[in-house]
Amino acid sequence: MELAAAHPALKAFMCGSLSGTCSTLLFQPLDLVKTRLQTLQNNAKPGAPRVGMFTVFISVIRTENFFSLWKGVSPSFVRCIPGVGIYFSTFYTLKQHYFLDRAPNAGEAVLLGAGARAVAGVSMLPFTVIKTRFESGRYNYVSVAGALRSMYETEGIRALFSGLPATLLRDAPFSGIYVMFYSQAKKALPQEVASSAYAPLVNFGCGVVAGVMASLVTQPADVVKTHIQISPSQWRTADAIRYIYMEHGVSGFFRGAVPRSLRRTLMAAMAWTVYEQLMARMGLKS
């Protein structure tokens, strides 16, 4: 089957998968640093300097090696390449079904983005759990398949779906808020700017603004999700929230906010920019 004759939803899947590949490879180190920051033990002496993003970067390179910053890239690829494809094809299908004749308003954009992300998030959750464990440095998994087998045999199938509520509380609002800010920012642009040669740069700028806003709102849910997924004792969401608060206070819910905001913002902005350019080349309205 030729690409030109493919179903539009399949084209959206392929465009999304390609955009997900580029952004995952580029920004994986930020995801690893975010996970390490969120799972640091609170054993620093009083008055000791705070451990930040650059400290963790240097520590990983010194104690492991430079390429250790890409630990977890295999499950990230397994998760993001089909995951971003599922997200964009679901988004495209929902938009074509409900908003064929008009653009969604702000509230509808939130529901559109959240719905598409919920489908992709649930579909790829086992690989999200494995990616988080790879990045934490606490597990000695050799491969994605080995990690899946080990978790299934030692912890049961429930472990592969651990952190589902926290993941949905993180991903659905992030995507909903992102799509709302992104679509509203683009709508506010003059038509001559949106259709000019600078359109990809403008789209990227709109994506950055939307990503920062969405990342900050959903940061606490991301910290809770990380703690649940690296714990072999199958914590509930309430257990993780209690532990984080008792160990680190309110600030614990914002650990890793800088690398996560950078990664999610740049990754989403790049993914949307690449996706929209590819869809335009295929003659489809994204």
Side-chain angles (χ1 to χ4, degrees):
M1 182 177 68
E2 289 186 8
L3 184 58
H7 190 279
L10 180 60
K11 290 181 181 178
F13 178 89
M14 293 169 72
C15 293
S17 295
L18 184 56
S19 70
T21 304
C22 303
S23 50
T24 297
L25 186 60
L26 274 174
F27 304 122
Q28 176 61 24
L30 288 169
D31 203 33
L32 180 132
V33 170
K34 180 254 327 181
T35 300
R36 296 285 176 96
L37 276 171
Q38 290 178 352
T39 55
L40 276 174
Q41 297 299 315
N42 196 23
N43 52 11
K45 293 175 183 174
R50 248 182 100 212
V51 176
M53 183 174 79
F54 292 108
T55 309
V56 175
F57 259 117
I58 300 303
S59 173
V60 170
I61 294 167
R62 278 183 180 166
T63 59
E64 299 170 50
N65 60 61
F66 178 74
F67 293 104
S68 290
L69 290 168
W70 275 267
K71 255 188 187 175
V73 78
S74 299
S76 283
F77 273 140
V78 174
R79 180 184 76 116
C80 285
I81 294 173
V84 178
I86 290 168
Y87 169 72
F88 278 119
S89 59
T90 306
F91 180 87
Y92 177 83
T93 303
L94 289 172
K95 194 173 180 186
Q96 290 300 301
H97 185 76
Y98 293 106
F99 305 105
L100 188 59
D101 302 322
R102 64 180 181 87
N105 61 35
E108 290 165 342
V110 170
L111 293 174
L112 193 59
R117 179 58 66 193
V119 172
V122 173
S123 303
M124 294 290 113
L125 187 59
F127 300 106
T128 303
V129 177
I130 289 167
K131 177 191 75 74
T132 304
R133 290 191 173 196
F134 262 92
E135 292 168 354
S136 73
R138 299 183 184 184
Y139 295 84
N140 297 314
Y141 299 134
V142 178
S143 66
V144 175
L148 276 169
R149 189 165 52 250
S150 172
M151 285 185 69
Y152 178 72
E153 289 172 356
T154 59
E155 300 173 55
I157 198 160
R158 274 187 63 194
L160 293 169
F161 290 89
S162 60
L164 176 59
T167 300
L168 289 176
L169 283 171
R170 176 197 68 165
D171 287 354
F174 176 91
S175 189
I177 294 165
Y178 184 93
V179 171
M180 179 191 72
F181 278 113
Y182 183 72
S183 58
Q184 295 302 305
K186 282 185 66 181
K187 202 182 287 185
L189 292 170
Q191 184 57 40
E192 57 269 20
V193 174
S195 56
S196 70
Y198 297 105
L201 190 61
V202 172
N203 289 348
F204 192 86
C206 291
V208 168
V209 173
V212 170
M213 303 295 290
S215 292
L216 292 175
V217 172
T218 57
Q219 179 64 23
D222 186 65
V223 179
V224 171
K225 175 207 75 80
T226 298
H227 278 275
I228 291 170
Q229 291 178 346
I230 66 164
S231 169
S233 56
Q234 296 191 7
W235 277 358
R236 292 172 303 165
T237 303
D239 297 329
I241 292 171
R242 193 179 304 111
Y243 171 81
I244 295 162
Y245 182 74
M246 295 297 289
E247 283 288 310
H248 311 292
V250 174
S251 64
F253 293 100
F254 291 90
R255 276 189 163 194
V258 174
R260 177 175 178 260
S261 292
L262 278 171
R263 176 187 169 272
R264 287 302 297 257
T265 297
L266 295 172
M267 195 169 172
M270 176 181 277
W272 273 91
T273 303
V274 172
Y275 167 75
E276 293 198 331
Q277 291 306 300
L278 289 172
M279 290 289 277
R281 294 202 171 205
M282 290 185 182
L284 293 170
K285 188 179 178 184
S286 57

